Amino acid sequence: MSQRKMGPRRSRYRLGVDVGGTHTDLCLFDEGEGTVTTYKVPSTPEDFCRGIAGGICALLAEKGIAPSAVGYLAQGSTVATNAMIQGAGGRIGLLTTAGFRDLLEIRRQNRPLDQLYNFFFERSPVPIPRHRRLEVAERILADGEIWQPLDEAAAARAIDRLVALDVDAIAICLVNAYVDPRHEIRLVEMVKARAPSVEVCASHEVLREFREFERLSTTVINTWLLRPVSQYLERLSHTAAELGIAVPAYVMQGNGGLLSPESAARQPVNLLVSGPSAGVMGAVFCARSAGYRNILTFDMGGTSSDVSIVDGGTPSARTDTELSEYPVRVPMLDIKFIGAGGGSVAWIDQGGALKVGPRSMGADPGPACYGQGGRLATVTDANVVLGYLHPEYLLGGRKKIDREAAREAIERTVAKPLGIDVRRAAHGILTIVNNNMIGALKLVSVERGYDPRDFALLAFGGAGPLHATALARELGIRDVIIPERPGILCALGLLTVDRRFDVVRTAISTLAQTSAGAINAIWADLDSQAMAWLEHEGVPRGQRRVERVVDARYRGQNYELSLAGEPGRWSDATLRQFNQRFHDLHERTYGFHSGHALVQLINFRTIAHGVMPKPVMTRKRKSTGDVGAARIGERKVSWHPARALLATPVYARDKLKAGQSVDGPAILEQMDATTVLAPGERAAVDGYANLIVSFTGARRR
């Protein structure tokens, strides 16, 4: 990667770019005017940078802004997630302790829940075939004792063998290296000396935690992603430079923070679920402006739906994510993904039942109504046929719609096989996809011990506002929040987050065994690493912030709970307070606590934040005028499969003013999304142009 260490320049223009499977969304914030301009273009999966460049050029040209005036650029990317899903990582090798060569293949002996009774179940391919997994003689015990020194001669032969196998990167994961990484450090030095062109990645640099398989898996995946991610970031850097943008493109992490392109190229595992995390952070930003701290986020795009929970303004996070059957133990926002998007395909299974997803038509050829060659019925086609979506165009007129093609696809692939009419088939498609999304929302709320009725539903994504109120009614949620620009909220979220770097260390001991001095020594080391990263990244001193987290459990448990760690030096009083806070958290999480079990400290984390400037949205003055000026027509809409079509008013959402409200049935159209209000639903515009939808007891549609 080219080294551009500069931070954001002082400029009035800040640009966020979110690359999705179907569309690339752009959000331009003018700091001088306090205004946001959005743009949406089709993604270009064969080379995402081409779609990014086209979108940036079109947006800046529309506003008459020179690329050199952009002082901040951030992007959310699917490149790491796509590489995982598609098995498109680099050609890598592994060096590990003798006797542990097959750990990656043995894995944990548990199956995915939906495959428990599948006699023909096959596990996903191992990222590294056995002939490229080599052992080295060494052994460090769990207490740090060197039981067997590193055999450097044998290690040199193993390195040479991997180089002869034409690997482009080598992962190093030695047993108990989280306690003492000296053997890993020496192997890194040997690889760099013997094969300077080969990338190397050691476990103590990626995840200095216990649990051997999880540490190995995370290190291997990080190494596997080095090549595709670094190549993408290099292309992106060149693309931005060719356009005349003189600032680096910060990259969104799955933990809700940003990385510089240089750091991202070394830690690509942190880029998994990058775009969806930006959406959650954008949802937090918008919910705060609307006066809500407890929200369920619902992001429905062209390929998938992503849901999460935000309690008290803080997104739920986790460190035990699993992708393609391999654990990734890095901090990520707790987001559930299901194959339910606008492009999700409706199909009939062998038993004659209607299904929707997870297969998607994506951006190319897309739904049948796009007129690009797609011939299968999708969720978008159903919304077009029923009248919820404009029957002639989307994206403000840039995307032409073929309503008859949508109707024909539903009739041929769903209605005729089921022996029903097209309207009933379209309603069936929406009912099923809505039920799928309700299940996902229950996973992050009910199954986490939360009552969804205590939360508002914040809907975004190009298709989120189409389905949001139906989901809320089913879950008993009273308020639905639809941001001013729901289709590009992920891009806006990129402008609301800080740079972030996590440093972790496993140091297992009970509170009774440890001392404040021992813990202070751990914090001093971790804080030092965090400050070194902030210094390396060029974060100004006034924008540096450090946060601490401790993972703890009762001795004998296998899973930990995370608690905030006290800043400053710890004392005996701090330890007593921590002990009580853990009991309280255990009670709140599991419904009980133990008065006699010993509390065990497991992992210590220091999180470095480089605070970035945030958009300051201008509050809009309320209007007492009539909403008639925003009405742009009407069309017949099917609100129920057995009832007549209802003439429904259509409004231009951007013409609605703060303080105004619209009663359903109504359709609210804008460039990036369409909001559907069924009979008995009311949408009020707040001071920041959010729609707050409430219900007056109408029947569910």
Side-chain angles (χ1 to χ4, degrees):
M1 291 286 302
S2 59
Q3 297 294 311
R4 292 198 290 172
K5 291 285 180 69
M6 69 186 79
R9 293 190 296 110
R10 288 198 60 81
S11 169
R12 61 184 289 179
Y13 298 111
R14 297 162 54 78
L15 181 60
V17 182
D18 177 61
V19 183
T22 305
H23 289 101
T24 294
D25 304 331
L26 300 97
C27 180
L28 182 72
F29 182 70
D30 184 336
E31 291 185 341
E33 300 292 334
T35 58
V36 170
T37 304
T38 62
Y39 208 79
K40 186 183 283 279
V41 296
S43 293
T44 51
E46 69 283 357
D47 180 7
F48 285 117
C49 291
R50 184 165 60 84
I52 292 172
I56 291 176
C57 287
L59 174 57
L60 296 183
E62 182 179 277
K63 298 295 292 182
I65 299 169
S68 59
V70 175
Y72 175 89
L73 176 63
Q75 62 115 14
S77 171
T78 61
V79 63
T81 306
N82 287 348
M84 277 290 298
I85 294 172
Q86 298 166 6
R91 180 181 175 86
I92 68 173
L94 171 67
L95 295 176
T96 189
T97 303
F100 288 80
R101 180 184 188 184
D102 295 318
L103 180 60
L104 193 66
E105 202 144 16
I106 295 171
R107 326 184 197 196
R108 300 291 183 195
Q109 291 301 301
N110 54 329
R111 288 187 176 198
L113 291 177
D114 60 349
Q115 299 294 330
L116 288 177
Y117 305 105
N118 182 1
F119 293 112
F120 305 101
F121 171 68
E122 293 185 10
R123 291 197 174 274
S124 58
V126 179
I128 311 176
R130 196 170 194 271
H131 70 279
R132 295 207 303 267
R133 305 195 304 262
L134 304 184
E135 298 178 342
V136 295
E138 69 84 37
R139 192 62 181 266
I140 293 178
L141 301 183
D143 60 2
E145 177 189 349
I146 298 179
W147 188 67
Q148 180 180 4
L150 175 66
D151 185 338
E152 293 197 9
R157 291 192 294 272
I159 292 169
D160 292 343
R161 182 177 169 189
L162 288 177
V163 173
L165 290 172
D166 196 29
V167 298
D168 51 63
I170 295 175
I172 299 173
C173 187
L174 304 180
V175 172
N176 296 323
Y178 70 92
V179 178
D180 185 341
R182 71 181 69 183
H183 288 171
E184 283 196 352
I185 292 172
R186 179 57 187 145
L187 283 175
V188 170
E189 294 171 347
M190 293 176 67
V191 171
K192 289 181 177 179
R194 304 182 76 84
S197 63
V198 175
E199 293 279 356
V200 60
C201 184
S203 72
H204 73 277
E205 300 172 318
V206 178
L207 182 69
R208 197 166 173 179
E209 289 187 27
F210 83 135
R211 292 193 174 99
E212 192 61 28
F213 172 57
E214 284 75 9
R215 183 163 55 91
L216 171 65
S217 173
T218 304
T219 302
V220 165
I221 288 172
N222 190 77
T223 311
W224 195 47
L225 294 174
L226 283 173
R227 186 169 188 176
V229 169
S230 62
Q231 288 178 342
Y232 167 76
L233 293 176
E234 190 70 40
R235 289 197 308 274
L236 180 64
S237 178
H238 289 157
T239 297
E242 289 173 356
L243 292 176
I245 296 176
V247 292
Y250 293 101
V251 189
M252 187 70 188
Q253 303 179 76
N255 59 22
L258 295 171
L259 275 180
S260 68
E262 290 76 24
S263 293
R266 287 295 306 156
Q267 300 282 337
V269 71
N270 290 308
L271 305 190
L272 294 167
V273 303
S274 164
S277 297
V280 172
M281 300 309 293
V284 172
F285 179 79
C286 290
R288 188 181 301 122
S289 72
Y292 291 84
R293 291 175 55 81
N294 295 341
I295 59 170
L296 288 166
T297 72
F298 167 50
D299 176 9
M300 184 176 181
T303 305
S304 66
S305 289
D306 313 330
V307 300
S308 70
I309 193 166
V310 178
D311 184 19
T314 302
S316 177
R318 60 189 306 168
T319 58
D320 58 349
T321 305
E322 186 172 290
L323 296 169
S324 299
E325 298 178 54
Y326 282 93
V328 179
R329 277 193 68 86
V330 295
M332 292 186 190
L333 300 187
D334 187 9
I335 304 172
K336 293 297 181 186
F337 312 91
I338 62 169
S344 293
V345 175
W347 53 285
I348 311 297
D349 70 8
Q350 291 181 339
L354 176 60
K355 305 285 187 179
V356 180
R359 180 186 175 188
S360 173
M361 297 303 290
D364 187 13
C369 64
Y370 282 9
Q372 299 172 174
R375 302 192 70 244
L376 300 180
T378 68
V379 173
T380 296
D381 294 313
N383 278 305
V384 168
V385 166
L386 296 178
Y388 302 144
L389 285 174
H390 197 290
E392 297 177 8
Y393 61 80
L394 296 175
L395 301 181
R398 296 202 306 272
K399 171 69 74 176
K400 299 300 181 185
I401 291 297
D402 186 343
R403 186 177 186 277
E404 186 54 38
R407 186 187 180 286
E408 188 277 331
I410 293 175
E411 182 176 32
R412 175 172 43 81
T413 64
V414 177
K416 280 189 175 180
L418 293 178
I420 58 179
D421 62 55
V422 171
R423 274 182 62 196
R424 188 173 294 274
H427 277 285
I429 292 170
L430 297 190
T431 297
I432 289 172
V433 77
N434 286 346
N435 283 336
N436 293 343
M437 294 183 290
I438 287 167
L441 286 166
K442 287 181 177 178
L443 281 176
V444 298
S445 58
V446 177
E447 294 196 17
R448 297 279 195 274
Y450 295 99
D451 187 339
R453 294 172 296 184
D454 296 333
F455 293 77
L457 181 66
L458 195 146
F460 58 103
L466 276 168
H467 298 258
T469 60
L471 307 187
R473 283 179 174 280
E474 188 65 31
L475 291 168
I477 294 173
R478 293 184 295 273
D479 294 336
V480 175
I481 309 166
I482 301 175
E484 182 179 11
R485 295 168 180 83
I488 54 81
L489 193 67
C490 292
L492 174 63
L494 292 165
L495 306 181
T496 70
V497 295
D498 297 326
R499 295 158 79 174
R500 172 172 166 165
F501 181 71
D502 293 60
V503 189
V504 62
R505 170 80 56 80
T506 292
I508 302 175
S509 65
T510 63
L511 278 173
Q513 294 171 329
T514 193
S515 67
I519 291 176
N520 285 328
I522 295 172
W523 285 135
D525 179 45
L526 295 177
D527 291 352
S528 175
Q529 293 182 56
M531 296 307 294
W533 179 82
L534 290 167
E535 190 72 30
H536 179 266
E537 292 290 298
V539 177
R541 292 188 179 276
Q543 297 176 9
R544 299 177 183 180
R545 184 170 66 87
V546 173
E547 176 186 359
R548 292 173 173 176
V549 177
V550 181
D551 298 337
R553 66 188 184 189
Y554 288 128
R555 189 169 64 177
Q557 288 183 320
N558 197 38
Y559 297 97
E560 298 83 46
L561 295 174
S562 296
L563 295 85
E566 294 293 332
R569 292 186 60 80
W570 282 33
S571 63
D572 291 342
T574 310
L575 295 180
R576 289 192 295 271
Q577 292 167 2
F578 183 89
N579 185 68
Q580 186 58 51
R581 288 200 296 125
F582 177 81
H583 290 314
D584 293 343
L585 178 61
H586 201 280
E587 176 79 33
R588 191 163 62 249
T589 304
Y590 297 115
F592 77 97
H593 74 278
S594 173
H596 60 272
L598 293 175
V599 176
Q600 193 174 44
L601 307 177
I602 305 297
N603 297 315
F604 294 79
R605 304 175 188 276
T606 293
I607 305 171
H609 297 273
V611 179
M612 305 291 272
K614 310 292 192 300
V616 178
M617 308 302 288
T618 303
R619 189 175 181 88
K620 298 170 177 59
R621 284 191 289 182
K622 288 189 175 181
S623 171
T624 57
D626 185 79
V627 297
R631 182 164 174 167
I632 55 177
E634 70 174 33
R635 61 173 174 263
K636 291 187 175 181
V637 175
S638 176
W639 296 103
H640 190 281
R643 296 176 187 162
L645 299 179
L646 184 63
T648 300
V650 180
Y651 296 87
R653 180 178 171 181
D654 58 0
K655 293 183 180 180
L656 293 172
K657 307 299 182 184
Q660 295 183 331
S661 63
V662 174
D663 290 326
I667 306 291
L668 281 60
E669 294 183 343
Q670 58 192 110
M671 184 278 291
D672 57 328
T674 298
T675 300
V676 171
L677 298 178
E681 299 174 358
R682 170 174 293 176
V685 185
D686 73 3
Y688 294 97
N690 299 300
L691 288 178
I692 311 298
V693 182
S694 57
F695 306 95
T696 59
R699 297 178 63 184
R700 297 187 184 96
R701 58 181 172 87

